[in-house]
Amino acid sequence: MHYIPHTKEDVEKMLASIGVKTEDEVFAGIPSSLRRKSPLNLHEPMSEWKIIDRLKSISSEMTPSSEKTVFMGAGSYLHNIPSVVPYLVSRSEFTTAYTPYQPEVSQGTLQAIYEYQTFTANLLGMDIANASMYDGATALAEALLMSLRIKKKTSKVAVSKAVNPYYLKVVEAYFEPTEFELVYIPFDENGKTDISKIENTDDIAAFAVQSPNFFGIIEENENISKACEDKGCLFVSCFSEPFAFGLYKPAGLYGADIVCGEGQSMGIPQSFGGPGLGMFCAKEKYMRQMPGRLCGQTLDKDGKRGFVLTISTREQHIRREKATSNICSNQGLCALTSAVFMSCLGKTGLKQIAEINFNNASWLKKKLVELGFEERFKGSSIFNEFVLKAPDGFEKVWKKLSEKKIVCGLPLDKFYEGFENNYLFCVTEAFSKENMENLLENIKKEVSND
Amino acid sequence: MKEINELNLPENFLYTEQHEWAEKGDVVKVGVTDYAQDQLGDIVFVELPEVGDSFEKGDECATLESVKAVSEMYCPVSGEVVEINEALEDEPGLINEDPYEKGWMFKVKVTSADGLMDKAAYLEMLKGA
Amino acid sequence: MINDKLTGLVLDEPLLWEKGSRGRIGISIPEAEVEKAKPDKDLVWEGPDFPELSEVDVVRHFTRLSTWNFGVDTGMYPLGSCTMKYNPKLNEKTASMEGFISSHPLLPDNLCQGTLKLMYELQELLCEITGLDAFTLQPAAGAQGELCGMLVFNAFHKKNGKRRKKIIIPDTAHGTNPASCALCGFEPVGLNSGADGILHPDAVREIMDEDTAGIMITNPNTLGLFEENIKEIAEIVHEKGGLVYCDGANMNAIMGAVSMREIGVDVIHLNLHKTFSTPHGGGGPGAGPVGVIKELEEFLPVPRVEKNGDKFILNSDFPLSIGKLHAFHGNYGVLIKAYTYILSMGKDLFDVSTKAVLNANYIKENLKDVFHLPYDRPCMHECVFTDENFEEYKVSTLDIAKRLLDFGFHPPTIYFPLVVHGAIMIEPTESESKEEIDRFIEVMKQIAREAKENPDILHNAPANAKVKRLDETLAARKPKLKG
């Protein structure tokens, strides 16, 4: 196998050097009674060429978003990624390095993380960002646990039901073994979190909402912030679509204490949901309660600027069971990817592309309404996702379209009661007018066939 | 690291086995010894108790962080915290530079100060270690 | 003498915010084809402070940054317990095939048969390699795999009627283990290894009780030693109704040599970014699949991939499941790379482990006369030395590590495991040839000579890197985390 460089002669010399005769004797540390009874029941090593054929065949059984027929977001978004992004990120000095524990030979990774932290904090309107979490869902779970560390005397957190339901599942799994309680706050008929319900909820460390929320709606951040202040709890805001902050004010500007979410939209391919990027920001005063790695600026012996991982005493390898999290490996390369992507965007690119998302979504929504769809939540501000109630009997049409590899929004009935025939649509700058017209044409055709 | 004969151990203080010191008296300053700061290395962050907290001797009362380690400080006397050294918030390195004067950590109104060593006993203990 | 003058051209590069100019842009803006919509003006803002750069600016910036890094592709990276083996380029190619890279995680099953098939097959392959019965691919990294395992422990005991409070963790376990336990509400109970560096059944018998959920063992342990008594220890734990978790981060030592199932392991996590050759990316993403015995399968995260005739489906109907640990299916891109690697190696994975162990023992035998070896017994995939021989010259492990950089080697893992004072933990992996290892051994010997003859060379190392040793105290006392 060509990944193993040992020649027969090498092996013989090495065995002689360690004083054993056969290769199997290198396992002298394992008692023979504990050796595996049968050898690995695996195939013969496969050639590169055969593997490419096999993987091509497997991947061809997919419907790629790049065909522009999947009008679904819900936490994973198709955005244009300039060619320079994957090109730069695939430089093996970045990809094949470990965590930068030896800063003298990791300045590339470290400066890039520092720049990522700066981009992220600026994008979300916050003081500081960490070097990344696994994804938006785990970032939210960790943010809630962090709130409980800050508000030591509380035992509950309040979380909006308009947060991505997959994120809520993860939060539930993280909370199950703890003594803490999750309290859900419902959403109202406008698709926004019903802030008034927080008034009767006591003993909470944090109130967490998502904006844009799962329905694509911008939450009333100002009122939420005020409600949190009244309650004396932390304002935690999460997101799954950071492109929205090219247009809309991020929660940091409303005084949020922790802002976290999924950064996949920032230059990272969808890749069946991962690897993505857990973005995590907090107010500076909470720095020592943050989970994950932090990269900081310092000087070398000669007074030259350099970067290191810092405030590490929060982390598992030092504080062990008292650490702020167990996270070790994070999504470093994805953080780098998003830093490259955000460098390409710049302030102007981010704004212009965000506006195209909003324009496309507004246009498609209008056209679907003209086809007989109905707005589920009227009058609320959206970014690039929206919920529509489809004409009666649309389930069959949806299925037929899916057989034609068209995904006409995400059906919401499996998440909430009373959402039969409601669909969450998404359209981004990656879709042309023609792509959207194709969808409309296909819907028209299937509805009339039905 | 300092040799034992290089350590600064004032005569009039009391010491614990965990390398804390306390002044003698009813309301006393407490801190960590020269030996402790030397072992810890550059201290980068100190978490102090709050005024009004009460501790029994031996309770965890503060944490000291160096770049790659965290150490607990155990309260050398029993009593109530009446003042903390706020200067440590911005300059935790004071503990390294001057562990007994500028690097004091907090003041306790003492209810009991039993079981402490004088300098000679503490030095004996260090030599034995 | 081996030459330490390895410098090349190192270009400086400012922070992004220190370059660029308003009005530049590095991305192509799509044509505006539909009418403009009007957002609520109370909700919009002018946008964040992002620098404005041309495409060329961006390319030069990150290319220059990359040259300041050391990766496996730059040279030998014998970082103990991290298995920095070669990352095959084929893996990158398959993982970036359009059907994978551009697939939405919530596609209906009929539109994502490819990704489901790959998951199903990868799970089967990992079962065969470890000997366990079922795998979940959802955990995004090793530490999340540990959390997953602990949640399974918790769910198991809950189902049996009584939650348990404690977990036994040996002193030779990975650093993440106690934190993962604590995250799951367990109290870690320490277990010391014996004078021979491994665990002994009597010590386990003494602390294992019916309030202890189980034990978390790293095997081979972080001293690079195989836990010879693991089967007996597992029996003790099982007798009291507990479970055995194995941190499989060191699986690279024993593929095809040991079946985890046969030695009594109930739950294991693997690090695909270690054993299965996916790149570490300067910190991640990794993947930490978790394998369990049949009796624990019902607790694994959902959705699970199942085969139904010739179709693959996602099934979330497992009422006792611990739920979800990732919004979607974990770090899918990493799974494709590991799958590709396993296809490449097949049954030769046994050869991978054989050569990894051979390389480590070869280093151990050839350096033990020069460096202090605290546990002189046959090692597995890594060996642990200390700086004891150089104490009188005031040369520490850190100095030795930094000096290695000047010769173009990444340092080993240092000061870990904690049970060894001044540890130098070397894991060469199977990727290194005899010539490269011989060169490493020669360099280590030369550094040992320098330590005695001219310790200042070591104290001032590295001489040739982008920066000199950095002031970590300053970084921690006056944190500056943002430009």
Side-chain angles (χ1 to χ4, degrees), chain A residues 6 36 41 65-66 73 91 95 97 102 104 109 115 135 176 249 271-272 298-300 305 330 348 359 366 433, chain C residues 18 33 35 37 43 52 61 66 69 98 101-104 128 158 163 257 281-283 327 359 402 468 471:
Chain A
H6 299 65
R36 193 176 161 119
N41 182 19
S65 308
S66 52
R91 289 188 65 92
T95 59
Q102 295 290 343
E104 297 87 349
T109 293
E115 291 174 335
D135 73 344
E176 208 285 329
K249 271 184 243 180
S271 202
F272 209 50
T298 187
L299 300 171
D300 78 355
R305 177 167 69 189
N330 56 18
T348 309
N359 293 339
K366 192 176 81 185
K433 191 176 182 187
Chain C
E18 294 159 2
E33 297 172 323
E35 70 240 33
L43 300 177
E52 301 206 317
H61 179 80
S66 76
N69 260 13
E98 193 64 19
I101 206 163
S102 184
S103 60
H104 195 288
E128 173 57 26
K158 196 177 154 195
R163 283 192 166 178
N359 280 356
K402 297 299 183 193
K468 296 281 192 312
D471 187 345

Short mmCIF file of all heavy atoms in Angstrom, two decimals, chain A residues 6 36 41 65-66 73 91 95 97 102 104 109 115 135 176 249 271-272 298-300 305 330 348 359 366 433, chain C residues 18 33 35 37 43 52 61 66 69 98 101-104 128 158 163 257 281-283 327 359 402 468 471:
data_model
loop_
_atom_site.label_atom_id
_atom_site.label_comp_id
_atom_site.label_asym_id
_atom_site.label_seq_id
_atom_site.Cartn_x
_atom_site.Cartn_y
_atom_site.Cartn_z
N HIS A 6 7.51 1.58 4.17
CA HIS A 6 8.50 0.60 4.60
C HIS A 6 8.81 -0.45 3.54
O HIS A 6 7.91 -1.12 3.05
CB HIS A 6 8.02 -0.14 5.85
CG HIS A 6 7.79 0.77 7.02
ND1 HIS A 6 6.83 1.74 7.03
CD2 HIS A 6 8.43 0.86 8.21
CE1 HIS A 6 6.87 2.38 8.19
NE2 HIS A 6 7.84 1.87 8.92
N ARG A 36 -6.95 -10.32 18.87
CA ARG A 36 -8.17 -10.53 18.11
C ARG A 36 -8.23 -11.96 17.58
O ARG A 36 -7.24 -12.47 17.05
CB ARG A 36 -8.17 -9.52 16.97
CG ARG A 36 -9.47 -9.37 16.25
CD ARG A 36 -9.36 -8.26 15.19
NE ARG A 36 -10.44 -8.45 14.23
CZ ARG A 36 -11.39 -7.55 14.01
NH1 ARG A 36 -11.36 -6.38 14.61
NH2 ARG A 36 -12.35 -7.81 13.15
N ASN A 41 -12.06 -8.67 8.69
CA ASN A 41 -12.80 -9.18 7.54
C ASN A 41 -13.13 -8.00 6.61
O ASN A 41 -14.26 -7.55 6.52
CB ASN A 41 -14.07 -9.88 8.03
CG ASN A 41 -14.86 -10.46 6.89
OD1 ASN A 41 -14.34 -10.65 5.79
ND2 ASN A 41 -16.14 -10.72 7.12
N SER A 65 -27.59 20.79 -4.52
CA SER A 65 -28.20 22.11 -4.46
C SER A 65 -27.77 22.96 -5.64
O SER A 65 -28.48 23.87 -6.06
CB SER A 65 -27.79 22.83 -3.18
OG SER A 65 -28.01 22.04 -2.06
N SER A 66 -26.60 22.67 -6.17
CA SER A 66 -26.09 23.48 -7.27
C SER A 66 -26.95 23.37 -8.52
O SER A 66 -26.81 24.15 -9.45
CB SER A 66 -24.65 23.08 -7.58
OG SER A 66 -24.56 21.69 -7.76
N GLY A 73 -33.94 25.91 3.21
CA GLY A 73 -32.81 26.38 4.01
C GLY A 73 -32.83 25.68 5.35
O GLY A 73 -32.25 24.62 5.50
N ARG A 91 -4.77 24.78 0.83
CA ARG A 91 -3.30 24.76 0.98
C ARG A 91 -2.95 23.85 2.15
O ARG A 91 -3.49 24.01 3.25
CB ARG A 91 -2.77 26.17 1.25
CG ARG A 91 -2.83 27.07 0.04
CD ARG A 91 -2.13 28.38 0.31
NE ARG A 91 -0.69 28.18 0.52
CZ ARG A 91 0.23 28.25 -0.45
NH1 ARG A 91 -0.13 28.54 -1.68
NH2 ARG A 91 1.51 28.06 -0.17
N THR A 95 -4.33 22.81 6.02
CA THR A 95 -5.16 21.62 6.28
C THR A 95 -4.43 20.58 7.12
O THR A 95 -5.05 19.92 7.95
CB THR A 95 -5.63 20.94 4.98
OG1 THR A 95 -4.48 20.57 4.22
CG2 THR A 95 -6.50 21.84 4.16
N ALA A 97 -2.05 20.87 9.39
CA ALA A 97 -1.48 21.27 10.68
C ALA A 97 -2.41 20.85 11.81
O ALA A 97 -3.62 20.73 11.62
CB ALA A 97 -1.28 22.78 10.72
N GLN A 102 2.11 24.87 19.18
CA GLN A 102 3.48 25.38 19.05
C GLN A 102 3.39 26.65 18.23
O GLN A 102 3.50 26.63 17.01
CB GLN A 102 4.37 24.33 18.35
CG GLN A 102 4.57 23.04 19.12
CD GLN A 102 5.44 23.21 20.35
OE1 GLN A 102 6.16 24.21 20.48
NE2 GLN A 102 5.36 22.27 21.27
N GLU A 104 5.17 29.16 17.44
CA GLU A 104 6.22 29.65 16.54
C GLU A 104 6.07 29.11 15.12
O GLU A 104 6.50 29.76 14.17
CB GLU A 104 7.62 29.29 17.07
CG GLU A 104 7.97 29.91 18.40
CD GLU A 104 7.49 29.06 19.58
OE1 GLU A 104 6.71 28.11 19.38
OE2 GLU A 104 7.89 29.37 20.71
N THR A 109 -2.03 29.81 10.98
CA THR A 109 -3.32 29.43 11.57
C THR A 109 -3.75 30.45 12.61
O THR A 109 -4.90 30.88 12.63
CB THR A 109 -3.20 28.04 12.23
OG1 THR A 109 -2.98 27.07 11.20
CG2 THR A 109 -4.44 27.67 13.01
N GLU A 115 -8.07 36.84 12.99
CA GLU A 115 -8.86 37.61 12.02
C GLU A 115 -10.30 37.09 11.95
O GLU A 115 -11.25 37.87 11.86
CB GLU A 115 -8.18 37.57 10.64
CG GLU A 115 -6.87 38.35 10.66
CD GLU A 115 -6.04 38.25 9.39
OE1 GLU A 115 -6.17 37.24 8.65
OE2 GLU A 115 -5.27 39.16 9.12
N ASP A 135 -21.07 23.48 15.77
CA ASP A 135 -22.11 23.97 14.86
C ASP A 135 -23.03 24.91 15.62
O ASP A 135 -22.81 25.17 16.82
CB ASP A 135 -22.90 22.81 14.20
CG ASP A 135 -23.86 22.11 15.17
OD1 ASP A 135 -23.73 22.28 16.40
OD2 ASP A 135 -24.76 21.39 14.69
N GLU A 176 -30.33 17.11 29.33
CA GLU A 176 -30.98 15.95 29.95
C GLU A 176 -30.31 15.49 31.24
O GLU A 176 -30.97 15.32 32.26
CB GLU A 176 -31.09 14.81 28.93
CG GLU A 176 -32.26 13.87 29.16
CD GLU A 176 -32.08 12.92 30.32
OE1 GLU A 176 -30.92 12.52 30.63
OE2 GLU A 176 -33.10 12.56 30.93
N LYS A 249 -29.67 44.65 11.56
CA LYS A 249 -28.83 44.83 12.75
C LYS A 249 -28.71 43.51 13.51
O LYS A 249 -29.72 42.87 13.82
CB LYS A 249 -29.51 45.84 13.70
CG LYS A 249 -29.14 47.28 13.46
CD LYS A 249 -29.80 48.15 14.51
CE LYS A 249 -30.78 49.09 13.83
NZ LYS A 249 -31.48 49.99 14.73
N SER A 271 -22.49 20.37 2.20
CA SER A 271 -21.90 19.08 2.56
C SER A 271 -22.76 18.24 3.50
O SER A 271 -22.27 17.72 4.50
CB SER A 271 -20.52 19.35 3.17
OG SER A 271 -19.72 18.23 3.08
N PHE A 272 -24.03 18.12 3.16
CA PHE A 272 -24.99 17.30 3.92
C PHE A 272 -25.03 17.71 5.39
O PHE A 272 -25.27 16.90 6.28
CB PHE A 272 -24.65 15.81 3.77
CG PHE A 272 -25.87 14.91 3.88
CD1 PHE A 272 -27.02 15.15 3.14
CD2 PHE A 272 -25.85 13.80 4.73
CE1 PHE A 272 -28.13 14.33 3.24
CE2 PHE A 272 -26.96 12.97 4.84
CZ PHE A 272 -28.10 13.24 4.09
N THR A 298 0.03 38.91 21.07
CA THR A 298 1.08 39.16 22.05
C THR A 298 2.36 39.56 21.31
O THR A 298 2.31 39.91 20.12
CB THR A 298 1.32 37.93 22.95
OG1 THR A 298 2.22 38.29 23.98
CG2 THR A 298 1.87 36.74 22.19
N LEU A 299 3.49 39.54 22.02
CA LEU A 299 4.79 39.90 21.42
C LEU A 299 5.75 38.74 21.61
O LEU A 299 5.64 37.98 22.58
CB LEU A 299 5.36 41.14 22.12
CG LEU A 299 4.50 42.40 22.04
CD1 LEU A 299 5.08 43.48 22.96
CD2 LEU A 299 4.41 42.93 20.60
N ASP A 300 6.72 38.63 20.69
CA ASP A 300 7.75 37.61 20.90
C ASP A 300 8.93 38.24 21.64
O ASP A 300 8.91 39.42 21.99
CB ASP A 300 8.14 36.92 19.58
CG ASP A 300 9.07 37.76 18.71
OD1 ASP A 300 9.34 38.92 19.06
OD2 ASP A 300 9.52 37.24 17.67
N ARG A 305 5.13 41.40 16.85
CA ARG A 305 3.75 40.92 17.06
C ARG A 305 3.62 39.45 16.70
O ARG A 305 4.17 38.99 15.71
CB ARG A 305 2.79 41.73 16.19
CG ARG A 305 1.35 41.24 16.29
CD ARG A 305 0.36 42.21 15.70
NE ARG A 305 0.47 42.30 14.25
CZ ARG A 305 -0.18 43.22 13.53
NH1 ARG A 305 -0.96 44.10 14.11
NH2 ARG A 305 -0.04 43.24 12.22
N ASN A 330 -12.06 21.70 17.29
CA ASN A 330 -13.21 22.54 16.96
C ASN A 330 -13.41 22.50 15.45
O ASN A 330 -13.21 21.45 14.84
CB ASN A 330 -13.01 23.95 17.52
CG ASN A 330 -11.71 24.59 17.05
OD1 ASN A 330 -11.10 24.17 16.06
ND2 ASN A 330 -11.28 25.60 17.75
N THR A 348 -18.84 46.05 1.54
CA THR A 348 -19.74 46.31 0.42
C THR A 348 -20.34 45.03 -0.13
O THR A 348 -21.55 44.93 -0.38
CB THR A 348 -18.98 47.04 -0.70
OG1 THR A 348 -18.32 48.16 -0.12
CG2 THR A 348 -19.92 47.50 -1.79
N ASN A 359 -34.14 40.53 -1.79
CA ASN A 359 -34.94 40.84 -2.98
C ASN A 359 -35.51 39.56 -3.60
O ASN A 359 -36.69 39.49 -3.94
CB ASN A 359 -34.09 41.57 -4.03
CG ASN A 359 -33.68 42.95 -3.55
OD1 ASN A 359 -34.30 43.52 -2.66
ND2 ASN A 359 -32.62 43.49 -4.14
N LYS A 366 -43.87 36.72 -3.28
CA LYS A 366 -44.97 37.40 -3.97
C LYS A 366 -45.53 36.52 -5.07
O LYS A 366 -46.75 36.36 -5.23
CB LYS A 366 -44.45 38.73 -4.54
CG LYS A 366 -45.53 39.67 -5.02
CD LYS A 366 -44.96 41.01 -5.48
CE LYS A 366 -44.42 40.87 -6.89
NZ LYS A 366 -43.73 42.07 -7.39
N LYS A 433 -33.23 34.52 -11.53
CA LYS A 433 -34.67 34.68 -11.77
C LYS A 433 -35.19 33.46 -12.54
O LYS A 433 -36.28 32.95 -12.27
CB LYS A 433 -34.91 35.96 -12.57
CG LYS A 433 -36.37 36.36 -12.66
CD LYS A 433 -36.53 37.69 -13.37
CE LYS A 433 -37.99 38.11 -13.40
NZ LYS A 433 -38.20 39.31 -14.22
N GLU C 18 -5.42 46.21 8.41
CA GLU C 18 -4.36 47.18 8.19
C GLU C 18 -4.05 47.34 6.70
O GLU C 18 -3.15 48.08 6.33
CB GLU C 18 -3.09 46.74 8.95
CG GLU C 18 -3.28 46.78 10.46
CD GLU C 18 -2.30 45.90 11.23
OE1 GLU C 18 -1.42 45.27 10.61
OE2 GLU C 18 -2.43 45.83 12.47
N GLU C 33 -31.74 40.77 -10.87
CA GLU C 33 -32.71 40.45 -11.92
C GLU C 33 -34.15 40.68 -11.50
O GLU C 33 -35.04 40.68 -12.33
CB GLU C 33 -32.56 38.98 -12.35
CG GLU C 33 -31.20 38.68 -12.96
CD GLU C 33 -30.99 37.20 -13.21
OE1 GLU C 33 -31.44 36.38 -12.38
OE2 GLU C 33 -30.38 36.86 -14.23
N GLU C 35 -36.97 42.95 -8.94
CA GLU C 35 -37.08 44.30 -8.38
C GLU C 35 -36.62 44.33 -6.93
O GLU C 35 -36.65 43.32 -6.24
CB GLU C 35 -38.52 44.80 -8.49
CG GLU C 35 -39.49 44.09 -7.56
CD GLU C 35 -40.62 43.37 -8.32
OE1 GLU C 35 -40.39 42.88 -9.44
OE2 GLU C 35 -41.72 43.31 -7.77
N ALA C 37 -36.68 45.00 -3.06
CA ALA C 37 -37.71 45.03 -2.02
C ALA C 37 -37.27 46.02 -0.94
O ALA C 37 -36.10 46.35 -0.85
CB ALA C 37 -37.86 43.63 -1.42
N LEU C 43 -34.92 48.33 11.15
CA LEU C 43 -34.19 47.10 11.47
C LEU C 43 -32.84 47.00 10.77
O LEU C 43 -32.03 46.15 11.10
CB LEU C 43 -35.03 45.86 11.10
CG LEU C 43 -36.38 45.72 11.78
CD1 LEU C 43 -37.13 44.49 11.25
CD2 LEU C 43 -36.21 45.60 13.30
N GLU C 52 -11.95 46.03 3.09
CA GLU C 52 -12.29 45.86 1.67
C GLU C 52 -11.01 45.59 0.89
O GLU C 52 -10.07 46.39 0.88
CB GLU C 52 -13.03 47.09 1.16
CG GLU C 52 -14.30 47.29 1.99
CD GLU C 52 -15.41 48.02 1.27
OE1 GLU C 52 -15.15 49.03 0.58
OE2 GLU C 52 -16.57 47.57 1.38
N HIS C 61 -2.58 37.48 0.92
CA HIS C 61 -2.64 37.48 2.38
C HIS C 61 -2.62 36.05 2.93
O HIS C 61 -1.77 35.69 3.74
CB HIS C 61 -3.90 38.20 2.85
CG HIS C 61 -4.06 38.24 4.33
ND1 HIS C 61 -3.39 39.15 5.12
CD2 HIS C 61 -4.80 37.49 5.19
CE1 HIS C 61 -3.71 38.95 6.40
NE2 HIS C 61 -4.56 37.95 6.46
N SER C 66 -0.10 31.09 5.16
CA SER C 66 0.07 29.63 5.13
C SER C 66 1.55 29.25 5.23
O SER C 66 1.88 28.23 5.82
CB SER C 66 -0.55 29.03 3.86
OG SER C 66 0.28 29.29 2.75
N ASN C 69 3.14 28.28 8.61
CA ASN C 69 2.62 27.09 9.29
C ASN C 69 3.48 25.87 9.03
O ASN C 69 4.13 25.79 7.99
CB ASN C 69 1.22 26.76 8.73
CG ASN C 69 0.11 27.25 9.63
OD1 ASN C 69 0.33 28.02 10.55
ND2 ASN C 69 -1.09 26.79 9.36
N GLU C 98 -19.23 16.97 -6.34
CA GLU C 98 -20.39 17.86 -6.32
C GLU C 98 -21.59 17.28 -5.56
O GLU C 98 -22.24 17.97 -4.78
CB GLU C 98 -20.79 18.18 -7.77
CG GLU C 98 -21.77 19.33 -7.92
CD GLU C 98 -21.21 20.68 -7.45
OE1 GLU C 98 -19.97 20.81 -7.34
OE2 GLU C 98 -22.02 21.57 -7.19
N ILE C 101 -20.68 17.64 -1.73
CA ILE C 101 -20.38 18.96 -1.19
C ILE C 101 -21.59 19.89 -1.30
O ILE C 101 -21.77 20.80 -0.50
CB ILE C 101 -19.13 19.52 -1.90
CG1 ILE C 101 -18.42 20.50 -1.01
CG2 ILE C 101 -19.45 20.15 -3.22
CD1 ILE C 101 -17.02 20.76 -1.46
N SER C 102 -22.42 19.65 -2.28
CA SER C 102 -23.55 20.53 -2.53
C SER C 102 -24.86 19.85 -2.16
O SER C 102 -25.85 19.99 -2.86
CB SER C 102 -23.52 20.96 -4.00
OG SER C 102 -24.53 21.88 -4.27
N SER C 103 -24.84 19.10 -1.05
CA SER C 103 -26.11 18.43 -0.72
C SER C 103 -26.71 18.99 0.56
O SER C 103 -26.01 19.21 1.55
CB SER C 103 -25.90 16.92 -0.60
OG SER C 103 -24.99 16.63 0.41
N HIS C 104 -28.00 19.22 0.50
CA HIS C 104 -28.72 19.75 1.65
C HIS C 104 -29.01 18.62 2.64
O HIS C 104 -29.44 17.54 2.24
CB HIS C 104 -30.03 20.40 1.19
CG HIS C 104 -30.65 21.26 2.25
ND1 HIS C 104 -31.24 20.74 3.38
CD2 HIS C 104 -30.74 22.61 2.36
CE1 HIS C 104 -31.68 21.73 4.14
NE2 HIS C 104 -31.38 22.88 3.54
N GLU C 128 -16.70 -3.53 11.96
CA GLU C 128 -15.76 -4.63 11.72
C GLU C 128 -14.39 -4.31 12.33
O GLU C 128 -13.75 -5.16 12.95
CB GLU C 128 -15.64 -4.89 10.20
CG GLU C 128 -14.57 -5.89 9.80
CD GLU C 128 -14.73 -7.27 10.45
OE1 GLU C 128 -15.88 -7.63 10.81
OE2 GLU C 128 -13.71 -7.97 10.62
N LYS C 158 -30.47 4.93 33.58
CA LYS C 158 -31.81 5.47 33.80
C LYS C 158 -32.86 4.42 33.44
O LYS C 158 -33.83 4.20 34.17
CB LYS C 158 -31.98 6.72 32.94
CG LYS C 158 -33.14 7.60 33.32
CD LYS C 158 -33.17 8.85 32.45
CE LYS C 158 -34.56 9.39 32.36
NZ LYS C 158 -34.70 10.37 31.27
N ARG C 163 -30.15 6.20 38.18
CA ARG C 163 -29.03 6.96 37.65
C ARG C 163 -27.83 6.78 38.57
O ARG C 163 -28.00 6.71 39.78
CB ARG C 163 -29.41 8.44 37.59
CG ARG C 163 -30.31 8.73 36.43
CD ARG C 163 -30.42 10.22 36.21
NE ARG C 163 -31.02 10.44 34.90
CZ ARG C 163 -31.31 11.63 34.41
NH1 ARG C 163 -31.04 12.71 35.11
NH2 ARG C 163 -31.84 11.75 33.22
N ALA C 257 -5.46 -6.08 15.45
CA ALA C 257 -4.72 -6.81 16.48
C ALA C 257 -5.59 -7.12 17.69
O ALA C 257 -5.40 -8.13 18.36
CB ALA C 257 -3.49 -6.02 16.92
N GLY C 281 -6.72 20.19 10.05
CA GLY C 281 -7.21 21.52 9.71
C GLY C 281 -6.79 22.62 10.67
O GLY C 281 -7.49 23.62 10.79
N GLY C 282 -5.68 22.46 11.38
CA GLY C 282 -5.25 23.49 12.33
C GLY C 282 -6.19 23.60 13.52
O GLY C 282 -6.33 24.66 14.12
N GLY C 283 -6.85 22.49 13.87
CA GLY C 283 -7.72 22.52 15.04
C GLY C 283 -9.04 21.79 14.83
O GLY C 283 -9.76 21.51 15.78
N ALA C 327 -26.87 19.50 14.72
CA ALA C 327 -28.11 19.88 14.05
C ALA C 327 -28.46 18.87 12.95
O ALA C 327 -29.62 18.54 12.75
CB ALA C 327 -27.98 21.28 13.46
N ASN C 359 7.49 1.50 14.23
CA ASN C 359 8.19 2.79 14.23
C ASN C 359 8.40 3.32 15.64
O ASN C 359 9.46 3.82 15.97
CB ASN C 359 7.40 3.82 13.41
CG ASN C 359 7.63 3.67 11.90
OD1 ASN C 359 8.44 2.84 11.47
ND2 ASN C 359 6.93 4.47 11.11
N LYS C 402 11.40 23.09 21.35
CA LYS C 402 11.60 24.27 20.50
C LYS C 402 12.82 24.09 19.60
O LYS C 402 12.87 24.58 18.48
CB LYS C 402 11.77 25.53 21.36
CG LYS C 402 10.55 25.88 22.22
CD LYS C 402 9.30 26.16 21.41
CE LYS C 402 8.14 26.57 22.31
NZ LYS C 402 6.84 26.55 21.62
N LYS C 468 10.09 34.49 17.42
CA LYS C 468 10.81 33.87 18.54
C LYS C 468 9.75 33.42 19.55
O LYS C 468 8.56 33.60 19.36
CB LYS C 468 11.76 34.90 19.15
CG LYS C 468 12.87 35.34 18.21
CD LYS C 468 13.95 34.29 18.17
CE LYS C 468 15.24 34.74 17.48
NZ LYS C 468 15.13 35.39 16.19
N ASP C 471 5.38 35.72 24.25
CA ASP C 471 5.08 36.06 25.64
C ASP C 471 3.63 35.68 25.97
O ASP C 471 2.70 36.45 25.75
CB ASP C 471 5.31 37.56 25.86
CG ASP C 471 5.20 37.96 27.32
OD1 ASP C 471 4.67 37.15 28.12
OD2 ASP C 471 5.63 39.07 27.65
#
